[in-house]
Structures are given as structure tokens and as C-alpha cells.
Amino acid sequence: MDLLEYQGKQFFAQYGIPVSPGEAVTTVEDAVAAAERIGYPVVVKAQVHVGGRGKAGGVKLAANVDEVREHAGNIIGLDIKGHVVKTIWIEFASDIAEEYYASFTLDRSAKKHLGMLSAQGGVEIETVAEEDPDAIAKIWIDPVDGLTEAAAREWVLAAKLNPDATDGAVDILLKLYTAYTEGDADLCEINPLILKPTGEVHALDAKVTLDGNAQYRHEGWEEYEATQVRDDREQAAYDKGLQYVGLEGSVGVIANGAGLAMSTVDIVNQVGGKPANFLDIGGGANAEVMAGALEVINNDPDVKSIFINIFGGITKGDEVANGIVTALGRVKIDAPIVIRIDGTNAEEGRAILAEHESDMLQSKPTMLEAARTAVELAK
Ligand code: GDP
Ligand code: MN
């Protein structure tokens, strides 16, 4: 779940990270009123789920009310890489001596958290990584041990920030690590992290991705949820509580369990097809869930065939088969369906499906055969 900048700053502020005071608004008049309350100069900032707003004209300094009016008017409605600006954030402008970069994310191959810090901030970190990789100081943190102050200090020294920034940076990085771990974030990035001429270190931007699966243990995440941008397919799946990721191909995929869904996507690729999506219907594959899943897939015009791959463990093959049959009675499906059922009560499941087989519904005994058939039908 991606946060807008101002939400990310509110999230940071909960952990004591210094950010500028500001207000989120949606109209020019409210922008003016906010600026009058905040005091000048202010920065007018587009709130969209995409970076590089500055370059796109979505971040402007305003020294007085006329400039706020002008910039707010230009930025509201601005299209930044396909994201149209609805909300703008007005914050008190900071004086900048230097711009740095700081982030925490998970390094899956190292099975550790990765912290990145650079004295070259304000530009995209990918650019720094390409042009001057030594300018990024990295630290790998064992999630059990955590980040100690001594390790953070060593890390900051390795990044060669201005010595005036050392204490402030150490303090913010420790807080950022706490925000990242206790806050159940997948990514916390500050770019730029600034050193002010007065010596304070301060977060001027915030890019935060939260782990949506942790929502149940955090209050206030509904607000972040409300501003998520989803395409129509993703929204329909979300409304039905399905784990869905839209892809570009033509074979619709439904499987039970994320591991099997990933394997299904892999095998479709392996036999020369392209999955249209990833959809995990989870444990209880009843008629309701199956109908919902089929509806979501069916509404994708790119889907030319549907591959339902079920391995019964606790889920029973006959119940799934009944679910599919009931679902087909409810949803008119445009693409042919290929089903593979294995595991608990697979025989019973296949027997139920056998009574309903047609050009539009075929059952195959193995995953490979089912994948081949589905890919063939999608051509
Ligand atoms: P991004 O382009 O989407 O990453 O947006 P940022 O929030 O990072 O802003 C882009 C750039 O605008 C920053 O790198 C700064 O150089 C500049 N900027 C943002 N806020 C301020 C501010 O309060 N004061 C000054 N002087 N510059 C700012
Ligand atoms: Mn930025």
C-alpha cells in the first residue's frame, strides 16, 4: 500500500522524525487559506503515487499569496506520468544547505533489511547507483539484532555527509528504522533528507509503502487505503477480498494458495503462454469465492482462456468442483475454462466436472497438460 507524501510525513511524525508543518487541500482557495495559516514562504506539492514530481512541475515554491494561487492553479489537475493531481500539500518552505538520500527496504536475497544513505540526494537513487555507486553507503541489518546507534553512526560516517549533519542523521535513521519495522513498512525513503543552514536535519519528502497484510494491527490505515489507486480489475478483486495482481497476458489464472498461484503463472510462461493475472482464492474455495474470482477474470477483455488450478489439502476437490459448477450457473463466462484438480477428493471433484464438460469447460489430470491446453486455447 503506497502512501502519498503527506501521509508518509504523518507516518514519519508518529515516530518523531522531523517534517515540515503543512496542510493537504484540493482547491486553490483552500490552498490560499492554508498558506495564510502556515506563513510564507511555502512549497506547493502535487500529491500523487509517483516520483519525480519536481521535474514535472509538481513542486513549486511560493513567496506570497499570488504565487500560491498561481502554482496551486497550475498543479491541481496536472498530469504527472499518467497520475492526475487531485490533492496538493502546502508546507512551510525549508532553507536547504545540502540534500541527502536515506531509505530502508528488504533485501530478500540477503534475508536482511537494507539501509541506503547517500550524500547525493534530491536526484533519483537509480541515477546515483548508475553513475556513482560508491556514493551510496549500504548497511545490511539483521532483523533480530536491529540497528544500534553505533552501527548507525558508522554508516553515516561512511556516507560522508557534512559532519554538521552526523548527529541529526543518526537520530533520524534510528527513528526511520523503527518506523520501518514497527510500522510494518516495506519501504521508507526520504529523498531529500536535508541539512538546513542552521544545522538541523529534516525529512523534506516521504515515500512509504506499507505492508497491506498488517493493516489489522494498525489504527488509521483505512485513510491510506481510501487513496489507493487501482485499475478496474484490481478494484473489483479488492472489493471481493481476493488476492489479485493484474498482468499483461491472455491466460486468466485462478489457484488456491499463493505458492500454487505463482507456480501456475510460471508454468503458463514455461509452455509459451502469458498469464493475464495472478489470483489466489485462498483456502475456502466455495462457490461464492469461485464466482467472484471468475467474474473478476471474465471482466478482463484480454483474457482468452482461464486456467483454474486447485490442489486440495484442507480444501476438498469435490467442494471446489461444486463451487465451480454453481459459479458457472451464476456468471456468464466468455473464455473457455481448463481445470486441474488434484489432492484431497480429486477423483470426486473430477467426476462432478465430467458431467459438465464441454468446449468451454475441460478438466485435465495434470498441471502441465492443463497449462498446455489453456495456452493453446488462448492463441
Ligand atoms: P519529488 O521531485 O517528487 O521527489 O519531490 P520532492 O519533495 O523531493 O521535491 C523536489 C525538490 O524540490 C527537492 O529535491 C528540493 O530541491 C525542492 N524542494 C522541495 N521542498 C522544498 C523546500 O521546502 N525548500 C526548498 N528550498 N526546496 C524544496
Ligand atoms: Mn523526492
Side-chain angles (χ1 to χ4, degrees):
M1 187 157 67
D2 296 329
L3 304 195
L4 294 167
E5 174 200 2
Y6 81 92
Q7 296 170 329
K9 284 181 170 168
Q10 288 165 354
F11 177 77
F12 285 169
Q14 288 168 21
Y15 294 90
I17 295 167
V19 292
S20 309
E23 293 181 37
V25 297
T26 55
T27 66
V28 174
E29 283 320 305
D30 286 350
V32 166
E36 294 283 314
R37 278 190 291 272
I38 293 163
Y40 298 96
V42 294
V43 201
V44 181
K45 307 185 79 175
Q47 299 298 293
V48 280
H49 291 102
V50 64
R53 295 164 302 159
K55 264 190 217 159
V59 178
K60 294 283 183 194
L61 283 162
N64 54 52
V65 66
D66 292 334
E67 290 181 12
V68 171
R69 205 177 297 263
E70 181 192 338
H71 295 316
N74 288 337
I75 294 175
I76 295 172
L78 184 70
D79 185 318
I80 303 181
K81 301 176 190 167
H83 297 247
V84 177
V85 179
K86 291 199 192 98
T87 303
I88 54 175
W89 170 249
I90 314 292
E91 78 173 25
F92 187 67
S94 306
D95 286 333
I96 304 175
E98 296 191 8
E99 299 194 22
Y100 307 135
Y101 171 96
S103 72
F104 289 105
T105 184
L106 179 64
D107 182 340
R108 289 170 198 278
S109 47
K111 300 192 174 95
K112 285 185 176 157
H113 297 306
L114 169 63
M116 291 198 278
L117 181 64
S118 177
Q120 295 185 24
V123 285
E124 282 182 28
I125 195 65
E126 289 81 4
T127 311
V128 180
E130 225 166 79
E131 288 169 5
D132 191 4
D134 293 341
I136 304 172
K138 296 182 180 174
I139 185 172
W140 280 269
I141 304 153
D142 187 300
V144 176
D145 300 342
L147 178 63
T148 63
E149 179 166 352
R153 190 163 291 274
E154 210 177 294
W155 178 31
V156 170
L157 294 177
K160 301 194 176 72
L161 310 184
N162 185 320
D164 290 349
T166 305
D167 288 343
V170 168
D171 181 57
I172 288 185
L173 290 168
L174 290 168
K175 287 170 175 163
L176 189 65
Y177 184 74
T178 306
Y180 167 73
T181 50
E182 289 179 13
D184 284 313
D186 290 332
L187 168 74
C188 282
E189 183 188 83
I190 305 176
N191 187 22
L193 175 71
I194 59 162
L195 172 65
K196 296 186 186 181
T198 45
E200 293 121 334
V201 181
H202 188 96
L204 208 64
D205 192 5
K207 187 172 173 192
V208 175
T209 305
L210 299 174
D211 176 358
N213 290 316
Q215 185 166 351
Y216 73 95
R217 56 183 179 197
H218 296 280
E219 269 174 44
W221 281 23
E222 298 80 19
E223 208 181 306
Y224 305 148
E225 190 53 65
T227 51
Q228 291 308 296
V229 184
R230 298 189 180 87
D231 68 26
D232 293 350
R233 304 178 300 175
E234 288 166 345
Q235 187 62 45
Y238 177 80
D239 292 343
K240 292 176 165 54
L242 298 165
Q243 296 290 333
Y244 176 93
V245 181
L247 302 169
E248 316 280 78
S250 56
V251 180
V253 169
I254 299 175
N256 66 324
L260 186 61
M262 278 191 275
S263 307
T264 310
V265 164
D266 282 350
I267 203 163
V268 167
N269 276 311
Q270 194 187 308
V271 299
K274 288 265 174 284
N277 70 285
F278 165 104
L279 200 166
D280 167 19
I281 53 171
N286 58 28
E288 189 64 38
V289 175
M290 189 56 84
L294 281 169
E295 241 171 71
V296 168
I297 302 256
N298 199 43
N299 284 340
D300 183 343
D302 290 340
V303 168
K304 301 291 179 257
S305 72
I306 301 171
F307 179 8
I308 303 178
N309 192 5
I310 303 293
F311 189 86
I314 296 169
T315 307
K316 296 189 183 69
D318 52 335
E319 283 175 17
V320 173
N322 278 325
I324 292 169
V325 171
T326 312
L328 289 179
R330 272 200 247 163
V331 188
K332 158 120 185 38
I333 305 296
D334 303 321
I337 301 175
V338 184
I339 307 169
R340 170 259 186 172
I341 296 185
D342 213 336
T344 310
N345 294 1
E347 293 290 315
E348 292 87 335
R350 286 182 206 146
I352 292 165
L353 291 174
E355 293 167 27
H356 299 269
E357 289 214 20
S358 70
D359 286 353
M360 292 301 279
L361 181 70
Q362 308 180 38
S363 171
K364 295 284 169 191
T366 71
M367 192 158 148
L368 187 59
E369 279 174 75
R372 283 196 178 122
T373 309
V375 169
E376 197 53 44
L377 287 169
K379 275 181 188 156

